[in-house]
Amino acid sequence: MRVSVLAVLRSLVLTAALVTVGVAGYAAYSRLPAFLEELSGTRSGETAPAGQEVIVTVPKGASLSQVGTILQQKGIISSRLVFKLVALIRGEQRKIKAGEYALKTGSDAGNVLDLLISGKTYMFPVTIPEGYTIYQIADVFQRMGIASREDFLALARDKALIQELGIEGSSLEGYLFPDTYFLRSSEKDNPKLVIRRMVQRFHEVYDREVGPVAAKYGWTTTQVVTLASLIEKEARSSEHALVSAVFHNRLRRNMRLQSDPTVIYGIKPMGSKITRQDLDRKQPYNTYQVAGLPPGPIANPGKASLVAAVHPADKDYLYFVAKNDGTHEFTSNLKAHNKAVDLYQRSARSRTR
């Protein structure tokens, strides 16, 4: 069959025209948000300086119009009408997910819609310093709006939750691993979820770094964590293994540990001034009055203290005293210790005169 040259040319021209229309149509669709903004007479960034990060909350059950209004009021987009039209044209008006989002002012309406549909909500950090007690963590939770102080402490002592998490003891003290945790807005009002994550982090560190050594020497997890909590509250700088050596040596000799932080645990805030009355008070955690380890941890130790609890330094130290410079003087006998106490306490007194 013979095909005329004219017919071939007509076919090529038609194909080229269709391709051109398709490309132009796709380009026009991709620029739809910007085009609509131009059509409405406004451009993103005219109502607020562009590029500033703003945390925006999209309420659960909010309508498309309500979301658009919030975005416009925050300066994220210039026109809620444009935002609504883009969502309707794309058929995605019901796909927006509630939550907190980190958005930038002067953004393209289509790009903002993509982010709200993705559900990639803003993550905020919650930092628990090493050595914090459950009481201090309760204050952090309350300050961050995760739970009230009372609700957190109730969870930290909840027998069912403690058992579920595989912890022995009457509270989660010692097992809430100090770290920075990043939470999504959906997790902000779920303290149990955060607690589970903290305990899971503890198990990860303990099982990898500490557990095998503890099992070798027949030490229970409670013993190790309790000792680590004392080390955490006493050690400075790189002294963890040295403080651990003092406690190990004292335990072997049946000497009382005489750790100051145990004296006020659960009675006064950590860091409070310790009085003679505190030292003489008979309570289970007071290692000036009770021999051996206290009945449980007095704080939540970090990795360095947990490792030091099972890896004490090879020293014969029995005493240490603060040198008022962030470190301690370690000694092996009472005479040397008393000399060090006299030296550093006298030095401290002379500086306060």
Side-chain angles (χ1 to χ4, degrees):
M1 179 185 297
R2 297 177 63 186
V3 180
S4 70
V5 174
L6 183 59
V8 172
L9 288 174
R10 286 175 177 172
S11 177
L12 289 174
V13 170
L14 178 61
T15 300
L18 290 173
V19 170
T20 301
V21 170
V23 172
Y26 176 80
Y29 177 79
S30 65
R31 289 194 69 256
L32 180 61
F35 173 74
L36 288 172
E37 286 183 333
E38 289 173 352
L39 190 63
S40 67
T42 59
R43 288 288 295 171
S44 296
E46 289 181 358
T47 57
Q52 293 183 359
E53 187 172 86
V54 178
I55 305 304
V56 177
T57 300
V58 175
K60 189 174 182 180
S63 67
L64 182 62
S65 295
Q66 290 172 326
V67 174
T69 299
I70 292 170
L71 295 173
Q72 182 174 316
Q73 289 175 344
K74 296 286 187 180
I76 306 303
I77 58 174
S78 60
S79 171
R80 61 187 176 88
L81 174 61
V82 171
F83 176 79
K84 187 174 182 178
L85 285 173
V86 172
L88 291 172
I89 291 171
R90 288 167 45 171
E92 296 175 328
Q93 63 272 25
R94 299 184 184 278
K95 296 182 180 180
I96 294 175
K97 297 178 176 64
E100 286 184 337
Y101 295 85
L103 304 173
K104 291 186 177 181
T105 55
S107 294
D108 175 83
N111 292 338
V112 173
L113 180 61
D114 289 337
L115 186 59
L116 299 185
I117 290 172
S118 73
K120 294 179 180 177
T121 52
Y122 171 69
M123 299 185 74
F124 63 94
V126 177
T127 299
I128 306 299
E130 295 176 344
Y132 261 31
T133 65
I134 56 172
Y135 306 102
Q136 292 170 301
I137 296 175
D139 291 335
V140 173
F141 271 50
Q142 179 165 284
R143 187 168 61 250
M144 298 297 295
I146 301 171
S148 70
R149 191 175 195 275
E150 293 73 19
D151 287 347
F152 172 84
L153 290 174
L155 286 172
R157 298 180 179 123
D158 184 88
K159 292 182 179 179
L161 180 59
I162 293 170
Q163 185 175 10
E164 174 195 327
L165 296 172
I167 302 300
E168 295 181 2
S170 58
S171 83
L172 293 176
E173 187 77 274
Y175 303 93
L176 300 171
F177 193 78
D179 205 343
T180 295
Y181 298 88
F182 291 90
L183 309 180
R184 293 191 182 278
S185 58
S186 58
E187 301 170 327
K188 193 172 182 179
D189 58 352
N190 192 342
K192 271 191 179 182
L193 184 148
V194 184
I195 287 172
R196 288 191 180 97
R197 187 181 298 179
M198 296 173 74
V199 175
Q200 180 182 359
R201 182 79 179 106
F202 163 81
H203 284 304
E204 290 173 356
V205 174
Y206 186 88
D207 293 347
R208 182 178 65 249
E209 307 285 348
V210 182
V213 180
K216 178 181 176 181
Y217 290 102
W219 300 329
T220 67
T221 301
T222 301
Q223 289 174 325
V224 173
V225 178
T226 300
L227 178 56
S229 71
L230 269 64
I231 295 170
E232 186 68 63
K233 299 306 293 183
E234 295 277 21
R236 299 292 184 272
S237 185
S238 58
E239 297 176 341
H240 295 79
L242 296 174
V243 172
S244 180
V246 171
F247 289 144
H248 274 275
N249 292 336
R250 280 179 165 260
L251 288 170
R252 279 195 293 267
R253 297 189 181 202
N254 294 318
M255 294 175 66
R256 291 178 181 175
L257 297 181
Q258 296 182 320
S259 174
D260 287 357
T262 66
V263 171
I264 59 174
Y265 176 71
I267 298 173
K268 292 181 177 180
M270 282 294 179
S272 299
K273 183 178 180 180
I274 296 175
T275 65
R276 171 54 59 181
Q277 183 181 5
D278 294 327
L279 294 172
D280 293 338
R281 184 186 295 111
K282 291 187 177 180
Q283 53 102 348
Y285 284 88
N286 186 348
T287 55
Y288 277 84
Q289 300 295 328
V290 180
L293 290 168
I298 64 168
N300 293 277
K303 177 181 174 181
S305 294
L306 287 167
V307 172
V310 296
H311 290 289
D314 185 16
K315 300 290 184 180
D316 62 353
Y317 297 143
L318 292 171
Y319 305 90
F320 58 87
V321 62
K323 295 167 63 176
N324 306 311
D325 64 355
T327 63
H328 292 89
E329 179 77 14
F330 293 85
T331 51
S332 303
N333 59 74
L334 185 57
K335 182 179 179 180
H337 174 65
N338 288 337
K339 184 178 180 181
V341 170
D342 183 59
L343 172 64
Y344 293 111
Q345 287 190 351
R346 184 174 67 246
S347 174
R349 285 195 298 270
S350 65
R351 284 197 298 272
T352 59
R353 290 174 182 171

